[in-house]
Amino acid sequence: MSPPPRQAGFALVMVLLVVAGATILGVTYLSTTSLRLASGANLVASARARYLAESGLQHALYALRNDPGPLMAGQHFGPYHVDGTADTYTFHAAADRWQPSLYTLHATGTSGGISLNASVTVACENRFAELTLAQGPVAYWRCAETWGWWALDQTGAHSGTYRNGVRVNRTGALLGTADTAIECDGVNDYVDTGRWSVSGTGLTLFAWVRCESGIADEAAILSKAAGPDEDDQYWMLGTHRKGGEVRLRLRLRTQGKDRKLDASTGAVKPWEWAFVAGVYDGSKMRLYLNGVEVDTKNEHRPLDVHAGAEVWLGGVPGDPRALPWAGRLDEVAVFDRALGADVIAELYRARLPQVRVIRWND
């Protein structure tokens, strides 16, 4: 027997209500689950983006310690892709306006469409001058003047003058410092530091140099001489051409004769900074390029002394046009003893700044 019409209608309404309620609950459950999944995915992406940003800072610190030039110049790096995915990080550095040695490294990590930033403030301090002065030079010209004609010797003993238009305030060799360099035109520019001598059996001459492609067959970086001829030279660190390459040359005068050592290897590349050194320890003449010995020669005589012979940077005394240097000079020094190979290598490495973390920024 069928239920009465009222009861049938009531039952239908109840069924519809149950179905509607179940549908609503199901939709609500699915929506909540979707939101939870989306929220979880965003958390994962955010955490990964943060990790990538911090990885970018570590990459920036590595670059600052090993090849800081482009980063310090404001170049932006990236995007670097990670794990073969679309996830990336980028980084760059911003110099402090008021403290030139301070930089803030900025990195951005991106994952799943979410980007997060991180930064760290660091101090970049160059210790080349400190290390050089600790070795006790007889003379040390930083070539850091930004104007004028006075070439200051850091020891206070042999300051000189810029002659014939030496250009100052050029970008220097050292990184992490605002110190500048000088530039000679390869015609007749030089720095006159007066008449003085180094006696004994030990000598070290070094400089940071950047030569131009048009450098002469022979050029003087640092020279003490009574005139432009070979027999007039008492000591000189310079260059010569060999097989189309610019190589180092060291000259000494002992017992009235010119002693010469030409590097058989190691090219001084045009337009690139190079750390060059000539060393005499009383038994050997040595040449170093970028911290590495490139040639040596036996020599067992004391250095000849001539108190009246001048010392020039960028040329040979007696004739500015004889052996002119074409290019830049920076951090030039003279010692009355032989610096060891380990010291030469340490000085070469000191071109790069020491990087010290000041604070990690949120």
Side-chain angles (χ1 to χ4, degrees), residues 141 148-152 158-164 166 190-194 311-313:
W141 305 274
W149 48 269
W150 188 250
L152 180 65
H158 304 294
S159 293
T161 53
Y162 296 121
R163 304 289 192 187
N164 297 337
V166 173
Y190 67 98
V191 184
D192 183 356
T193 72
V311 177
W312 287 9
L313 283 60

Side-chain angles (χ1 to χ4, degrees), residues 71-122:
L71 196 58
M72 287 180 165
Q75 182 174 329
H76 287 239
F77 291 80
Y80 293 97
H81 290 266
V82 181
D83 300 335
T85 68
D87 296 349
T88 63
Y89 67 80
T90 62
F91 63 85
H92 70 280
D96 189 283
R97 182 177 179 182
W98 307 110
Q99 300 183 66
S101 64
L102 291 186
Y103 289 81
T104 299
L105 305 180
H106 298 273
T108 300
T110 301
S111 177
I114 294 176
S115 296
L116 291 178
N117 301 317
S119 67
V120 59
T121 300
V122 299

Side-chain angles (χ1 to χ4, degrees), residues 50 54 57 106 116-121 359-362:
R50 178 68 183 182
E54 292 176 351
L57 290 184
H106 298 273
L116 291 178
N117 301 317
S119 67
V120 59
T121 300
R359 62 180 175 274
W360 295 91
N361 308 314
D362 292 329

Side-chain angles (χ1 to χ4, degrees), residues 129-321:
E130 177 186 339
L131 293 174
T132 298
L133 290 169
Q135 297 300 322
V138 173
Y140 175 31
W141 305 274
R142 300 213 63 192
C143 304
E145 288 73 28
T146 57
W147 62 276
W149 48 269
W150 188 250
L152 180 65
D153 172 15
Q154 297 296 307
T155 73
H158 304 294
S159 293
T161 53
Y162 296 121
R163 304 289 192 187
N164 297 337
V166 173
R167 285 168 286 185
V168 301
N169 201 28
R170 300 305 191 198
T171 301
L174 305 183
L175 299 170
T177 174
D179 287 324
T180 57
I182 62 173
E183 186 171 296
C184 300
D185 63 7
V187 178
N188 63 351
D189 293 356
Y190 67 98
V191 184
D192 183 356
T193 72
R195 294 176 169 84
W196 50 277
S197 296
V198 174
S199 59
T201 57
L203 178 71
T204 298
L205 313 172
F206 74 57
W208 279 97
V209 303
R210 197 185 80 161
C211 71
E212 296 180 357
S213 59
I215 197 168
D217 289 341
E218 183 177 5
I221 296 167
L222 175 62
S223 174
K224 176 180 174 60
D229 297 333
E230 290 184 358
D231 289 341
D232 295 327
Q233 298 184 41
Y234 283 79
W235 37 259
M236 184 192 80
L237 175 63
T239 58
H240 72 288
R241 281 196 174 274
K242 178 73 172 180
E245 293 184 340
V246 177
R247 296 182 182 175
L248 294 180
R249 169 171 286 170
L250 176 62
R251 287 186 181 276
L252 302 176
R253 185 178 179 85
T254 64
Q255 293 187 342
K257 292 186 178 181
D258 175 58
R259 319 290 178 177
K260 182 175 68 173
L261 171 61
D262 285 347
S264 58
T265 187
V268 181
K269 298 179 181 179
W271 312 111
E272 294 184 12
W273 281 106
F275 184 54
V276 300
V279 177
Y280 180 52
D281 62 5
S283 62
K284 288 184 180 293
M285 300 168 64
R286 303 178 191 272
L287 283 167
Y288 294 87
L289 175 62
N290 292 334
V292 177
E293 184 179 302
V294 291
D295 219 324
T296 185
K297 177 182 178 180
N298 292 329
E299 178 58 44
H300 299 278
R301 305 171 183 86
L303 297 170
D304 288 357
V305 177
H306 188 326
E310 294 182 327
V311 177
W312 287 9
L313 283 60
V316 60
D319 185 356
R321 295 179 178 272

Side-chain angles (χ1 to χ4, degrees), residues 40-57:
N42 286 341
L43 286 174
V44 171
S46 295
R48 185 162 171 79
R50 178 68 183 182
Y51 165 76
L52 291 172
E54 292 176 351
S55 297
L57 290 184

